Amino acid sequence: MSNTDPRPSYASGTSTTPLLGDTIGGNLARTAAAHPDRDALIDRGLGLRYTYREFDAEVDRVASGLLDLGVVKGDRVGIWSPNRAEWVLVQYATARIGAVLVNINPAYRTHELRYVLGQAGVSVLVSAPAFKTSDYAGMIEEVRGDCPDLRDVVLLESPAWDALLAAGERNGRGPVAEVEATLSPDDPINIQYTSGTTGFPKGATLSHHNILNNGFSVGELLGYTEIDRIALPVPFYHCFGMVMGNLAATSHGACMVIPGPGFEPATALDAVQAEKCTSLYGVPAMFIAELALPDFDDYDLSTLRTGIMAGSPCPVEVMRQVIDRMGMAEVSICYGMTETSPVSTQTRRDDSLERRVSTVGRVGPHLEVKVIDPATGVTVPRGTPGELCTRGYSVMLGYWNEPDKTAEVIDRGRWMHTGDLAVMDEDGYVGITGRIKDMVIRGGENIYPREIEEVLYTHPDLLDAQVIGVPDQKYGEELMAWVRMREGAEPLTPETLRAFCQGRIAHFKIPRYVHVVDEFPMTVTGKVRKVQMREESLRLLD
């Protein structure tokens, strides 16, 4: 975008809908009273179904069982499990008694588990016994001696879980109501560990007010009501699943549909078809996998109206197919980070296709965003790139027990510095051009990989593309494209890539190296791990 607008890159989200002053448990109780017989939660893998009346009662039972275990307000309760109904029950049960839910990434190994349990001071851990090749029960035993705060481990599908439910049934709702009356919406309620690219992850600490309002606002902008049914193949341990999914649903009386414990493209589309889902969530890689299914056209996706694509930049071509082939005419792009509960900007239902494929929308209700010069901290004019910052109800309380790390990202004005490069246009729409740390400086030119990736996505033989910077003696950095080819296509070479890019982008932005792969290294949430790609590229080019 050219800098033709002298106004500062600042926008605030006005709204006639007030913020919620509820706790999460209080909000759920209100929803259950309003829609007792509507579906609340469906777990397709386990064959479990709950109406809102049943879900609310089961949440109370789990909450009462946790109290019986000695959990008190402020205690940290860990959850280590793939997506399943019990994950959601524990999410709401801990909120109802003021315990702080600590989300543990299902992909963690023993050293990461040991660190998180110790750093958060987890006293009770609820865990699946195993998932895929991960023996959770075995790993817990391995680290237990190093975690002095850990009093109890409750494995799902075990006598310990049955005993917790039995105690909850025996003690009833009385003890829960007593604790619930002492809770404030500003109490910390959730710790989510952000996957640091170096060192150990940091625990973003979030309140009822943070995540309940963010889920509610996301749902409002998607037009959710009690008739919506949301397919959630995205992980609950991340804000995408538990906030944008679960809390958006329960604050509107909508239904949460769990296709299965982990993402499988066919399972996700099967859930949409069988449960007549109106909304489907995913990172771009998930939608790419669904669209690539050989029998994609056999699925009845006619009930789909909306959904969310987030987590990493959304390729234009994929977005077009999601709208045209999946019927998700009102699909929304959301942008944010764990530290901001997570969503800061979102496209609206009536936004043009162009807006939805080229921006991450406008600032959310009751929030502020600005774009600053990273060197000076001064807000830049519209149309000028800089670092995106956000402020408002969504900004975390801080990193758990790490005030110095908190001070590095939240300034004196309570602005959260995202580390993302962005441009705000004349209408307040924000475009993310990459991470400050992903920017490639080649021979003094600042190059944003996203721009090159968008060009590569238009190549007919490419399924997906990622561009990174690699060290170069002459230019400081040089560009390398990692690509995934469509089935049967000839592998791309540096020569054929250069020929394709000629005339489409400036010559200095054309990648010098090409690496063809079947899959990109990914995090559990579906984000491409560019750090790992750089490390592997150094070995490849050595």
Side-chain angles (χ1 to χ4, degrees):
M1 301 175 195
S2 62
N3 181 18
T4 55
D5 192 334
R7 288 178 300 162
S9 295
Y10 168 86
S12 61
T14 55
S15 177
T16 54
T17 305
L19 289 169
L20 300 174
D22 293 341
T23 60
I24 289 167
N27 184 260
L28 174 61
R30 262 182 275 288
T31 299
H35 308 289
D37 299 317
R38 284 204 166 271
D39 286 338
L41 177 64
I42 295 167
D43 184 330
R44 303 259 311 151
L46 295 178
L48 296 171
R49 306 176 79 89
Y50 301 90
T51 63
Y52 265 100
R53 181 188 286 108
E54 293 163 342
F55 180 67
D56 189 52
E58 195 69 1
V59 165
D60 272 343
R61 185 155 75 126
V62 175
S64 187
L66 288 169
L67 290 176
D68 193 75
L69 267 185
V71 173
V72 298
K73 177 182 170 180
D75 271 3
R76 273 76 66 207
V77 174
I79 177 86
W80 197 25
S81 165
N83 285 13
R84 51 188 294 160
E86 295 95 334
W87 206 111
V88 188
L89 292 170
V90 171
Q91 176 186 343
Y92 286 83
T94 49
R96 200 154 252 180
I97 57 172
V100 180
L101 183 72
V102 179
N103 302 8
I104 302 174
N105 186 327
Y108 273 0
R109 312 318 296 165
T110 47
H111 71 284
E112 295 155 316
L113 175 68
R114 183 185 291 112
Y115 175 78
V116 165
L117 293 176
Q119 205 274 333
V122 169
S123 58
V124 173
L125 176 60
V126 179
S127 173
F131 179 56
K132 293 186 177 173
T133 59
S134 294
D135 174 12
Y136 292 158
M139 284 192 269
I140 293 165
E141 282 312 306
E142 203 178 312
V143 305
R144 201 166 181 177
D146 303 323
C147 303
D149 296 310
L150 187 60
R151 295 193 319 263
D152 288 289
V153 174
V154 179
L155 292 180
L156 301 175
E157 303 170 32
S158 82
W161 178 252
D162 295 339
L164 182 145
L165 293 178
E169 188 73 36
R170 194 169 57 246
N171 297 337
R173 188 175 196 280
V176 177
E178 212 172 291
V179 177
E180 207 171 4
T182 70
L183 304 184
S184 158
D186 295 319
D187 291 336
I189 205 65
N190 185 216
I191 297 175
Q192 300 204 21
Y193 281 87
T194 60
S195 47
T197 50
T198 56
F200 283 109
K202 301 181 291 289
T205 308
L206 304 164
S207 66
H208 294 269
H209 192 69
N210 286 152
I211 58 177
L212 175 60
N213 277 294
N214 203 260
F216 176 67
S217 290
V218 167
E220 285 289 289
L221 294 183
L222 291 169
Y224 281 166
T225 69
E226 68 275 10
I227 66 169
D228 280 292
R229 301 168 75 80
I230 310 163
L232 297 168
V234 293
F236 289 148
Y237 89 85
H238 187 269
C239 272
F240 201 170
M242 70 165 283
V243 178
M244 298 153 72
N246 297 345
L247 286 166
T250 58
S251 58
H252 289 88
C255 177
M256 302 165 278
V257 178
I258 306 172
F263 173 68
E264 299 286 344
T267 308
L269 295 188
D270 187 59
V272 171
Q273 176 175 273
E275 300 299 338
K276 297 183 165 47
C277 294
T278 59
S279 179
L280 172 63
Y281 287 13
V283 298
M286 291 179 175
F287 285 104
I288 288 168
E290 289 156 1
L291 289 159
L293 285 172
D295 60 348
F296 173 85
D297 291 324
D298 296 341
Y299 289 94
D300 179 1
L301 308 178
S302 59
T303 53
L304 281 178
R305 165 182 75 80
T306 189
I308 296 175
M309 206 192 289
S312 58
C314 305
V316 174
E317 289 306 310
V318 176
M319 183 62 146
R320 290 187 199 284
Q321 288 195 54
V322 166
I323 293 170
D324 296 342
R325 297 181 65 203
M326 299 180 97
M328 292 167 60
E330 297 177 14
V331 64
S332 184
I333 298 290
C334 290
Y335 162 81
M337 59 196 306
T338 305
E339 291 89 338
T340 56
S341 302
V343 178
S344 299
T345 69
Q346 186 173 349
T347 57
R348 308 312 202 247
R349 285 187 290 162
D350 56 354
D351 277 342
S352 67
L353 176 63
E354 177 57 31
R355 292 286 198 203
R356 278 185 272 173
V357 297
S358 62
T359 78
V360 290
R362 291 179 282 136
V363 65
H366 305 286
L367 295 174
E368 300 169 90
V369 294
K370 66 176 179 178
V371 180
I372 64 166
D373 180 327
T376 65
V378 173
T379 304
V380 299
R382 295 200 180 195
T384 305
E387 183 184 14
L388 186 67
C389 299
T390 184
R391 179 167 71 177
Y393 75 81
S394 67
V395 175
M396 66 174 177
L397 300 177
Y399 292 123
W400 185 260
N401 282 346
E402 294 195 272
D404 292 348
K405 292 273 199 301
T406 304
E408 287 172 15
V409 295
I410 300 178
D411 66 25
R412 287 179 305 172
R414 287 291 298 167
W415 287 97
M416 175 78 204
H417 292 246
T418 67
D420 283 322
L421 291 163
V423 180
M424 184 184 291
D425 73 12
E426 63 276 12
D427 298 318
Y429 284 82
V430 175
I432 302 295
T433 54
R435 294 287 290 166
I436 288 176
K437 62 178 185 246
D438 283 343
M439 186 176 74
V440 178
I441 304 174
R442 181 190 180 277
E445 296 274 7
N446 289 356
I447 300 172
Y448 304 109
R450 172 79 194 276
E451 181 190 353
I452 304 163
E453 288 160 3
E454 289 292 0
V455 171
L456 296 180
Y457 281 126
T458 64
H459 192 296
D461 293 338
L462 287 192
L463 200 57
D464 207 347
Q466 297 290 328
V467 173
I468 57 171
V470 292
D472 183 76
Q473 271 190 320
K474 183 178 178 184
Y475 293 106
E477 278 189 290
E478 192 49 277
L479 295 166
M480 181 174 192
W482 282 44
V483 297
R484 293 172 57 214
M485 309 301 300
R486 293 193 184 281
E487 209 173 314
E490 283 290 315
L492 206 62
T493 66
E495 293 72 30
T496 54
L497 179 140
R498 176 165 286 280
F500 177 77
C501 291
Q502 291 282 8
R504 287 182 166 91
I505 46 174
H507 68 91
F508 65 86
K509 296 178 183 176
I510 298 175
R512 180 176 170 188
Y513 305 107
V514 178
H515 181 44
V516 179
V517 293
D518 293 328
E519 297 293 338
F520 298 133
M522 308 279 263
T523 66
V524 175
T525 51
K527 290 186 182 179
V528 175
R529 297 201 71 245
K530 287 198 170 182
V531 172
Q532 190 177 329
M533 287 167 64
R534 284 189 202 99
E535 290 167 359
E536 288 184 30
S537 298
L538 290 177
R539 287 195 293 276
L540 289 167
L541 299 172
D542 203 14

